[in-house]
Amino acid sequence: MDLKLGGKYKIGKKLGSGAFGEVYVAKDLNNDSEVAVKVESNRTRHPQLLHEAKLIKMLKGKGIPELKGAIIEGDYNVMVMQLLGPSLENLFKMCKNKFGLHTTLMFGIQALERVEHIQSLDFLHRDIKPDNFTIGNKKPSTVYMIDFGLAKRFRNPKTGQHIPWKEGKNLTGTARYASLNTHLGYEQSRRDDLEGLGYVMLYFLKGKLPWQGLPAKTKKEKYDKIKEKKKMPIEDLCYKLPKEFSKYLNYCRSLNFEDKPCISDLRKLFKNLLSKKGYEYDLKFEWLNKKPLKTIKYVEQEEEEPDYKKKLKAIFDH
């Protein structure tokens, strides 16, 4: 398939899928290198992919996937980008649903760098979760932030004007990791991505968050129960964990809507905890001991080729 992006790509196995499209590995037939191809139907109610491609191009930096190109092809929006390794959710499951303090802190420090980078460029991610962090395909000690389909500009880059406070908003993102203010229907700002990252770290350390698996008959009931559970005291949520985690979450909750978080201080908080516990920031993550990483399944592959992929062959194959 000629994507008119300076190369030809042949579609391979499916890597994953979600609300905003499907991701496949593909081969650049010009040089035999592998890339990732994300595809969404442009007939969907709220197309996100071309918006995401523009953002990835703008957010270029360490830990952000490299954009190779994006086009509209028939009924599909197509984005070609750097092929990355497994998500942190995949790696977490591979490590039997538990990361140690050393790995969790090193992840947190890198993830804070990614959040700081996109916020410096006036954007919020708005869907912080383990699935939206991956490791590098060739650099498995580098954490990447992915999936910017829900990202939003929080400040006008020319005037510095912050977006206005709003109430009554529907929940945007993933309920398990959403901030309390997001559940309360408030417009998201910089503090909310940071609070979500705090919940991701607790999930890694504890293996499960207190609001997981709550019985509910409807999505609204489920979200309401999660919201109420998140009102528990931070100290109870962080019980038996180093005090730095409750300090982190209390700081996130203390921020006002337009406040600029001091992310360098938060990174220092976790770096000091590493040192206090006798660890080094050596990037020796637990998943590096699991070999080979490339055998990790991203998704269960269908036994029969789905109709969606058959349609895609018209785009990707010669």
Side-chain angles (χ1 to χ4, degrees):
M1 171 203 64
D2 187 351
L3 276 181
K4 300 172 186 174
L5 298 170
K8 295 191 175 189
Y9 301 93
K10 184 175 178 64
I11 194 169
K13 69 178 181 179
K14 180 178 171 183
L15 295 180
S17 60
F20 302 117
E22 301 195 338
V23 182
Y24 295 85
V25 65
K27 180 175 283 189
D28 185 332
L29 299 177
N30 286 338
N31 56 25
D32 276 348
S33 66
E34 289 185 321
V35 295
V37 176
K38 192 170 183 180
V39 183
E40 75 171 359
S41 169
N42 52 34
R43 294 183 178 183
T44 190
R45 190 174 179 184
H46 299 293
Q48 301 280 346
L49 199 56
L50 298 183
H51 164 71
E52 181 180 6
K54 289 179 183 177
L55 286 187
I56 290 176
K57 189 175 181 179
M58 293 171 63
L59 297 174
K60 181 179 179 181
K62 184 180 178 181
I64 305 295
E66 178 189 352
L67 179 71
K68 306 286 186 181
I71 61 165
I72 299 171
E73 183 79 26
D75 292 337
Y76 298 96
N77 298 325
V78 182
M79 177 171 70
V80 182
M81 57 185 176
Q82 174 186 0
L83 180 66
L84 297 172
S87 74
L88 268 290
E89 182 67 34
N90 288 119
L91 296 168
F92 182 63
K93 289 175 179 175
M94 185 184 69
C95 293
K96 299 181 179 179
N97 286 17
K98 200 76 177 286
F99 283 154
L101 183 63
H102 187 198
T103 283
T104 300
L105 288 172
M106 290 192 298
F107 158 77
I109 291 164
Q110 285 203 43
L112 281 169
E113 290 173 354
R114 308 299 173 254
V115 172
E116 185 175 40
H117 172 67
I118 69 166
Q119 289 190 359
S120 72
L121 296 171
D122 307 315
F123 281 95
L124 310 172
H125 187 279
R126 300 204 304 166
D127 196 14
I128 298 290
K129 60 181 178 180
D131 304 88
N132 286 341
F133 291 97
T134 75
I135 58 173
N137 187 39
K138 295 182 179 179
K139 294 182 177 179
S141 60
T142 299
V143 173
Y144 285 76
M145 177 183 270
I146 64 167
D147 205 339
F148 294 90
L150 295 176
K152 180 176 180 176
R153 198 188 289 276
F154 70 86
R155 182 174 56 199
N156 186 310
K158 293 181 180 178
T159 66
Q161 181 75 32
H162 196 285
I163 56 174
W165 164 269
K166 289 183 182 177
E167 298 183 25
K169 304 273 292 185
N170 291 327
L171 189 145
T172 297
T174 301
R176 183 186 295 178
Y177 306 103
S179 69
L180 179 57
N181 283 323
T182 301
H183 281 283
L184 294 171
Y186 303 149
E187 180 75 58
Q188 292 186 48
S189 62
R190 285 171 280 190
R191 60 187 180 179
D192 299 291
D193 277 353
L194 290 173
E195 185 175 333
L197 179 58
Y199 296 143
V200 169
M201 296 180 75
L202 295 191
Y203 170 72
F204 286 160
L205 289 170
K206 290 173 169 281
K208 187 177 180 181
L209 293 167
W211 44 82
Q212 283 181 244
L214 298 175
K217 294 179 180 178
T218 64
K219 185 180 285 188
K220 183 182 184 304
E221 183 184 354
K222 179 183 175 182
Y223 287 1
D224 285 344
K225 285 189 173 184
I226 292 174
K227 175 178 67 178
E228 292 308 309
K229 200 73 173 175
K230 282 183 182 171
K231 291 179 180 177
M232 68 191 297
I234 295 295
E235 284 66 29
D236 291 349
L237 178 60
C238 298
Y239 181 62
K240 290 188 176 180
L241 295 179
K243 68 179 186 301
E244 283 80 359
F245 290 97
S246 58
K247 189 172 182 179
Y248 174 94
L249 282 170
N250 277 316
Y251 174 75
C252 295
R253 293 267 185 99
S254 74
L255 292 167
N256 292 316
F257 177 64
E258 293 191 17
D259 283 351
K260 177 183 178 181
C262 191
I263 296 180
S264 61
D265 282 354
L266 296 176
R267 290 203 312 274
K268 191 180 296 182
L269 179 73
F270 292 140
K271 284 182 177 179
N272 288 342
L273 178 56
L274 270 177
S275 180
K276 188 167 75 174
K277 293 295 183 179
Y279 298 124
E280 292 183 11
Y281 185 68
D282 54 14
L283 301 181
K284 292 180 180 178
F285 292 99
E286 290 169 57
W287 56 75
L288 297 179
N289 298 322
K290 310 287 184 180
K291 294 182 179 180
L293 282 173
K294 286 189 177 181
T295 64
I296 299 170
K297 289 186 177 180
Y298 293 75
V299 291
E300 291 297 320
Q301 298 296 314
E302 298 89 348
E303 290 185 9
E304 293 186 13
E305 196 173 65
D307 289 340
Y308 194 91
K309 188 172 178 182
K310 288 177 182 176
K311 292 177 182 177
L312 288 176
K313 280 188 175 290
I315 298 178
F316 286 95
D317 291 350
H318 292 298

